[in-house]
Amino acid sequence: MKLSGSVWIPDWPVTAAEIAGDVDSATPAAVYGKRGILSANSWARREGITEGMRQRSAHSLSPHALLLPADPERESLRFEPVLRALDRHIANVTVVSSGSVLFTAAGAIKAAGSAELLGEEIIGEINDVAGCEALVGFGYGTLATLLAARDNSVVSLAETDSFIGREPLSSLLVAAPSEDSREDLMECLNLLERLGLRRLGEVRQLGRTALTTRFGKIGQLIWALVDGDDVHVAHRQEATPEFSVTRTFEPPLETTEQTVFAAKILADELGEEIVSRSLAGGRLLITASLMNGNELERAWLLDGGSVKDVVDRVRWQLGSWLSSGEDGSSIVRLSLKMSDLLPAGYRPQPLWGGQSVSEHQATKAALRLQSLLGEESIAVPYRVGSRIPSERYRTRAWNEAPDHEDQGELPWPGSIPEPPPCLLHTEPIAVNLLGACGHQLQVSGEGELGCPQGCAAQQPSLLRGRGGDIAITRFAGPWIIEQRWWDHPVRRAYLQVAGAGIGVLVYIENNEWKEEGRYV
């Protein structure tokens, strides 16, 4: 594993707004997104405004504070001078998100003399060019490197596991390059916190299988990050092709509108070339030749790289180059190259949110099967919500709009506590729940466990079913469920029992115990 470096500019969204002149540097200001405040300057923080806070709460704390909506284009445009400053010290810089970059550090450290000296040079250069504070860190693996930049430190290979392990779950958000991917990560992290996990070391102890089985693609990303992998570069033994498209413009491109149109055409060509070969990218390299003879290039990370992803990155990048104000900055030649390509479906850890190329290919295959076998041939689950786990999901035909889609997000008071079982039986399995006395237990109308024979033992001791006996070591409940009294009434008492590494959800109805699902 190679030593990597990272540069991070704290509170870049609000810093970019100050550089753009949208807010005075002496005014309390913050930038907000879908989930509240994203960043705040020092004046706003002194008045109590913090990340994640709702806009209304921020206004109540500081009525005169200026709250600006997030503007990715502004952030990317103002980040370009910082990237040019980095180019003077580092050969290859990859943008994770505006305000955060990764780079291979070995060569730059050798030229500077040490990691500390390189960090000092970079910090000084950025301060001279952009007038803002920057932090530099070095480490092994994507997450360790990004977190090292937050601490302005150097993390050795031997310290990587312990360094990552003691970080809180929220530290994973530093690897989220967009607000959408940040939301996906936060949903998983909130669930892990409800399960009692607080540190990344505890998440690592869950293991790859548990994370990927439970959370799918996001679980793969979480595991790769906490395990210290380089998730921003795909590793594969076989050589894979690189695809590029190039256009020369006469007359040269001088406005952003012209560049957007040109980028759309090139992105379409590049996307069709990759999809037709069932490949997924990758790393997008944008190269522009200027009328004054200079050549500029910048690399962006993409997972698959939809046409919209490519167009957005190219538009932001070319817009920043065109707005530099230099004589002869008109673009005469534009080249897009996608590298780090893998067969679609092989790529295990996409860093970007949204639909990847492999997902797009799966969608096309599903539609093709439907055209051959009928609409009902492919079914997918969707959440409708219920107090009972077995009723929370229904199936529908692929691409069919679900019924009562909004009910899945209702609170459903009185429902069985989350998380639901990993495995739900199509038909509940008859079981016997025995107490220490050996008799089958029952649940009273008041929701209390008891033995109908009057024995003193009132706690479950053994779950007996067709798959064998499970000695119960822990249990939770019972929870009484009463619903639909007007039509097919349901009255049940649910328990969660655990033993021998297995968790089981059981319920009693009409004096009969049934197993509804299992947690492993």
Side-chain angles (χ1 to χ4, degrees), residues 215-518:
F215 299 113
K217 182 173 66 174
I218 295 296
Q220 293 173 351
L221 173 60
I222 292 175
W223 172 256
L225 290 170
V226 300
D227 199 40
D229 291 345
D230 286 317
V231 301
H232 63 290
V233 176
H235 296 283
R236 180 93 165 152
Q237 293 299 323
E238 300 114 9
T240 53
E242 297 180 343
F243 294 97
S244 63
V245 289
T246 303
R247 284 290 182 277
T248 301
F249 304 101
E250 181 61 41
L253 302 179
E254 297 181 348
T255 66
T256 303
E257 290 75 15
Q258 292 174 331
T259 61
V260 170
F261 182 75
K264 179 67 166 61
I265 296 175
L266 291 179
D268 281 332
E269 293 184 15
L270 188 62
E272 291 175 3
E273 189 74 21
I274 294 172
V275 171
S276 66
R277 287 168 169 76
S278 298
L279 294 172
R283 182 174 181 268
L284 173 66
L285 180 66
I286 306 169
T287 305
S289 300
L290 306 183
M291 194 165 61
N292 60 14
N294 294 334
E295 187 171 274
L296 304 174
E297 68 176 27
R298 184 70 62 217
W300 288 83
L301 296 177
L302 296 172
D303 172 44
S306 67
V307 171
K308 183 180 183 302
D309 289 332
V310 176
V311 170
D312 283 346
R313 271 68 185 182
V314 174
R315 176 167 57 86
W316 298 342
Q317 193 61 66
L318 298 186
S320 65
W321 285 338
L322 288 173
S323 64
S324 64
E326 297 179 7
D327 293 335
S329 61
S330 301
I331 297 174
V332 297
R333 188 171 179 268
L334 178 63
S335 174
L336 307 180
K337 182 173 75 172
M338 190 75 81
S339 59
D340 290 343
L341 294 165
L342 292 173
Y346 175 85
R347 192 176 190 86
Q349 50 229 22
L351 186 59
W352 297 97
Q355 190 181 54
S356 64
V357 171
S358 57
E359 291 171 329
H360 178 69
Q361 291 290 88
T363 300
K364 291 176 63 177
L367 293 174
R368 176 61 176 165
L369 286 174
Q370 279 186 318
S371 67
L372 295 174
L373 304 177
E375 291 187 359
E376 303 300 325
S377 60
I378 298 181
V380 294
Y382 70 99
R383 186 180 177 93
V384 295
S386 175
R387 295 177 179 85
I388 299 175
S390 60
E391 297 179 355
R392 290 178 184 173
Y393 292 88
R394 296 178 186 171
T395 59
R396 58 178 173 83
W398 182 277
N399 271 355
E400 177 187 343
D403 297 327
H404 311 297
E405 187 175 13
D406 57 336
Q407 293 188 13
E409 303 303 324
L410 294 177
W412 294 100
S415 61
I416 305 301
E418 295 285 350
C422 301
L423 172 67
L424 287 171
H425 302 301
T426 305
E427 293 293 335
I429 300 173
V431 294
N432 292 318
L433 186 67
L434 308 180
C437 60
H439 299 137
Q440 180 155 288
L441 300 181
Q442 291 184 349
V443 179
S444 68
E446 291 75 25
E448 296 181 353
L449 277 170
C451 175
Q453 306 298 325
C455 301
Q458 297 181 353
Q459 293 190 352
S461 175
L462 187 71
L463 181 67
R464 176 165 293 166
R466 66 187 184 189
D469 294 348
I470 298 176
I472 298 173
T473 57
R474 291 176 295 171
F475 78 98
W479 298 283
I480 304 296
I481 297 291
E482 292 185 84
Q483 61 181 15
R484 292 196 295 269
W485 54 266
W486 63 92
D487 181 29
H488 302 294
V490 174
R491 178 177 171 81
R492 298 175 180 174
Y494 278 85
L495 274 85
Q496 293 172 332
V497 298
I502 299 174
V504 184
L505 180 66
V506 298
Y507 68 86
I508 184 171
E509 185 177 20
N510 298 326
N511 294 324
E512 294 182 353
W513 285 99
K514 299 290 182 67
E515 177 184 319
E516 185 162 305
R518 297 200 171 195

